Amino acid sequence: MTNAAYPHLFEPLDLGFTTLKNRIFMASMHVRFELMDRQTERAAAFYAERARGGASLIVTGGCAPNPQGVMDAGAHFLNSPDQLDEHRAIPRAVHAEGGRIVLQILHAGRYAKVDDLVGPSDIPAPINPREVHALTTAEVEQTIEDFVNCAELAKEAGYDGVEIMGSEGYLITTFCAERTNNRTDEWGGSFPNRIRFPIEIVRRTRERLGRDFIILYRISALDLVEGGLTGTETETLAREIEKAGANILTTGIGWHEARIPTIAHMVPRGGWRHAARRIKQAVGIPVAATNRINTPETAEEILRDGDADVVALGRQMLADPHFARKAETGQADAINTCIGCNQACLDFIFADKASSCLVNPFAGRELDIAIRPAKNPGKIAVVGAGPAGMSAALTAAECGHTVTLYDAADELGGQFNLAKRIPGKEDFDETIRYFRNRLPAAGVEVRLNTRVSADEIDEANFDHVIVATGVTPRVLDVEGADGANVITYMDALTDAKPVGKRVAIIGAGGIGFDVAEYLSSPHSSPVSIDSFLDHWGIDRAHETAGGVGEPARPAPERSIVMLQRSDSRPGKTLGLTTGWVVRAELKSRGVRNITGATYTKIDGEGLHIRVGGEDQLIEADTIVVCAGQESENRLFTELHSRNVRATLIGGAEKSAGLDALRAIRQGTETALSL
């Protein structure tokens, strides 16, 4: 065991009355296990796995201090001893693995999706149309008591502490900001009055629970909304929260209504470290950096440079619960890295599903699926080394099968090799790196540059064949589609053919948007922190309210038009929590969308279309075809005709959408079923 590579990460953290074994926390995330059966058992297994993986402190998903504070109807709240049995198993399971766990107390305020939501004022949230009841002075006092009572119950349940959620635009945040607090009593008006609410919650919690109980406070280091706090006000709040008795400040970035991405893939690694640094310089207690910290190198650099004392990892703990253990024992190359896609975590939450992870299908499903020795280990062939094939091969090998993985290409990854070229999606390469290292370590024989035939498969006498041969781009059936000015999305994304200044993109699905992003992006790859902050107008000095200024966006170098046959909204398959960013970006770059188009012909002038019965010409130097894909399943068909036991998965089984989430999960589950 060695800590030589990451000495700051694995330095103990002394809190006075207790010491944490390292500087790696699991940050709070909504997981929504209440939507599933055995919710307490699931939560216990989920958090215990992260404790087993080496996180020194785990923060649970948000638990409301009263029924009005829940995020959704049916979500968790804790306000009565009668509810303690629902919680006790969770800290017990974490403690059994040598970890510590704190309960996050979160009052959703005006973000709550309930009928009787409350706030400091009756100002509704732009992302929630429900009417808001302004708390009376007496109700403010009762809400503070509810927070303290919840903390007392958490201690009784066995939690090591609580995190008081004062960030992201939830109730506490809205008390602090002029944007949402127009009160005229002692809880509004002046800045000292507006921040009394969080100060009193922390002070009374510390007073009631004593010194040997961990209190974290999640502070909004950057509101990223007009009318938010300035940097000076944020520093003052941090110091007052420290005086009130908090042990640790966790930094939150942006309200949920902010129109700036804070955790999605387009945010560079460690992109908000400057905000954590400002808080750290203002206080004497430990400060945790958060958001888009997904490698031990980034985490170590943040601590080494004095930007923070702790790193709190959220989605990365979904992607790999053993992040800390692997980093500590010299196995960083075996870490399954979060790629910031949000597809199975935040997007699931907003679709009323329990959270999981695109790159780790086991996350949140610890009671349902696991790597177990195969009852009858066999000789398995996997054909195709894209996401579906790689996950199937690795899982089968980890279950004890003898596995050979074939691919005609000279590298692993399939469609991920295209995705990683999009500025902001560079982390998709981390998934390829993970499999590149894990497959040989698990005993998989990898044969690249090998287009294996049905005859060769048959002769090798495999017990089972998993066919993951992917897709091929759909050919456009339009006059002139074979012209020199027509290229495929693969040509565009690999720079295999030149692209002119005027571009027509046929197809406005996920790949069409990727191509538009690639061809219009002002960023070099990888996107730098400075470039990102300038692009979104982030006030580094935090002199403005909310920390937002004027974006710096150069004029686009290309004129791009995206077209589709249907009248539906372009990009309807884009992620719930990332799609708005992509659409806003392309709009800011002048990318136009045309729906309901019929393609009539392509010639030297460009793309001829008919819309609403009228003929139009889209003048274009280059036409990029992103009109879907066809499943490449010929091998499976031939194997099936020979009665070879085979299973078709991934894009080869269903080409629509090129769904990596489905592909990796299907590959994993297919291998587990062998």
Side-chain angles (χ1 to χ4, degrees), residues 16-59:
F17 62 92
T18 190
T19 301
L20 302 178
K21 61 186 177 183
N22 62 44
R23 307 295 181 102
I24 301 173
F25 290 2
M26 176 181 175
S28 176
M29 292 179 294
H30 300 303
V31 286
R32 299 298 306 276
F33 290 145
E34 66 269 18
L35 297 173
M36 305 175 74
D37 64 338
R38 298 185 290 169
Q39 57 181 275
T40 299
E41 190 179 352
R42 288 184 185 282
F46 174 78
Y47 291 122
E49 186 66 22
R50 275 77 196 158
R52 189 178 303 120
S56 65
L57 186 70
I58 291 169
V59 185

Side-chain angles (χ1 to χ4, degrees), residues 333 390 394 411-413 417 420 429-441 446 448:
D333 280 347
M390 293 189 297
L394 178 59
E411 60 181 341
L412 299 169
N417 285 305
K420 72 183 184 183
D429 192 43
E430 294 289 351
T431 302
I432 302 172
R433 182 268 313 153
Y434 169 74
F435 282 110
R436 186 187 303 121
N437 291 316
R438 286 294 302 133
L439 288 165
V446 179
L448 299 176

Side-chain angles (χ1 to χ4, degrees), residues 490-498:
M490 292 185 179
D491 294 330
L493 293 176
T494 59
D495 301 324
K497 293 183 179 179

